[in-house]
Amino acid sequence: SCSDPDHSAASLSDWVCTCAPPSHGNAIAQTAVCAIDECVETSALCTTCSHGTCGAEGQTCNDVDQNATALSDWSCTCAAPLTGTAVARAAVCTLDECSEEHALCTSCERGVCDDANQTCHDPNPGKDATHDWVCACPPPTTGSAVAEAAACMVDECVETLPSCVTCARETCADAGQACRDPNHLNSSLSDWTCTCPHPSHGSAIAAAAECTIDECLEPSANCTTCSHGTCAAVNQTCDDPDTAADQLGDWTCTCATPATGTATAAAASCEVDECTFTCTTCGRCPAGQVCADPDTSAAALSDWTCTCNAPTVGEATAQAAVCT
């Protein structure tokens, strides 16, 4: 509207242009530049104004261009530590607890995951979803935890990723052995073990085991090459000269003294020469007589003979002969 504050003929060019509500502004002897702060204006005439929309949500209102021709350009911005902005309406505020470092965010991660060399993920960045950030372990480890560093795990017997430089891979399997990782914590590495298959014995940490089997002592029926008491059953001594698991069928039975005889993987055929050995049944012929043992098998005892030297004659079994 136009108004002339002084109608006297001496007061010219003092007319004023005034902006119409709800805008504001005036100018003398020219068109006024009208402005309206849509965040502040409360007049009902301003149908595009915020009218407290932002404040009701605890947000800040900002009208970037207050020219009366630039309407509905006001925006609501979320209060820190929340983030979010919307034009001509309340903003949808979010809170990424993994990235937000504002002092007001008491629920934020603040490097907990990073300090543990883990990645942080906020599955729900909604402003009301707090303390739900997750620390996740890096490969080859597995594990995650909510609102704290995770206990990272790795089964060094199972994991095959190249990044697991301490893993067993095929070390045990290639040797026909079983692999076991007794502690899966990432802080306990290179503790996997290879264990020999039954009936052999042996284990090694972070390496293939040296498997052994004493074929004289092993009771397992799985050991088809073992003695299983063959020697003991005939009062013989069993010995396995090489207990390596790949050296099978090499055990021996050795006859008990005074008998002699050895056999591999079987009971020995024992012999006793009762004329030359010292035993309870062995004999010694007197001077002038010859001792002979016709059957040296260990089962044929007390069959030695004394025979008189020529020109005398005479013979006796298991005793001195009467020579004539």
Side-chain angles (χ1 to χ4, degrees), residues 293-319:
D293 188 351
D295 187 347
T296 58
S297 66
L301 300 177
S302 299
D303 61 341
W304 53 276
T305 63
C306 284
T307 303
C308 298
N309 287 331
T312 60
V313 295
E315 184 179 274
T317 299
Q319 61 181 341

Side-chain angles (χ1 to χ4, degrees), residues 214-271:
D214 190 328
E215 295 177 284
C216 289
L217 301 178
E218 181 56 51
S220 172
N222 292 331
C223 181
T224 57
T225 64
C226 287
S227 69
H228 293 299
T230 298
C231 303
V234 290
N235 196 32
Q236 297 176 14
T237 302
C238 187
D239 177 57
D240 189 349
D242 189 343
T243 57
D246 59 354
Q247 295 296 317
L248 301 177
D250 61 342
W251 54 274
T252 61
C253 285
T254 301
C255 299
T257 306
T260 59
T262 299
T264 300
S269 296
C270 299
E271 295 188 349

Side-chain angles (χ1 to χ4, degrees), residues 88-180:
R89 60 181 177 84
V92 176
C93 299
T94 61
L95 176 64
D96 187 339
E97 295 175 286
C98 288
S99 61
E100 183 56 62
E101 297 183 358
H102 198 284
L104 294 176
C105 184
T106 57
S107 67
C108 286
E109 176 256 351
R110 296 188 183 281
V112 171
C113 302
D114 188 60
D115 289 345
N117 194 34
Q118 299 173 13
T119 57
C120 185
H121 170 62
D122 189 348
N124 186 349
K127 66 176 182 177
D128 296 321
T130 59
H131 297 95
D132 63 339
W133 51 272
V134 177
C135 284
C137 299
T141 59
T142 59
S144 62
V146 177
E148 63 180 355
C152 297
M153 313 287 277
V154 57
D155 187 335
E156 295 177 285
C157 287
V158 175
E159 186 54 62
T160 58
L161 284 178
S163 53
C164 184
V165 296
T166 64
C167 285
R169 305 195 185 284
E170 303 302 320
T171 300
C172 301
D174 288 347
Q177 300 172 13
C179 186
R180 176 177 173 269

Side-chain angles (χ1 to χ4, degrees), residues 38-39 46-55 57 59-64 70-77 84-92:
E38 294 177 285
C39 289
C46 182
T47 57
T48 64
C49 287
S50 70
H51 293 296
T53 299
C54 302
E57 299 294 331
Q59 301 173 14
T60 302
C61 187
N62 180 38
D63 189 351
V64 293
L71 300 177
S72 297
D73 62 340
W74 53 273
S75 63
C76 288
T77 302
T85 299
V87 176
R89 60 181 177 84
V92 176

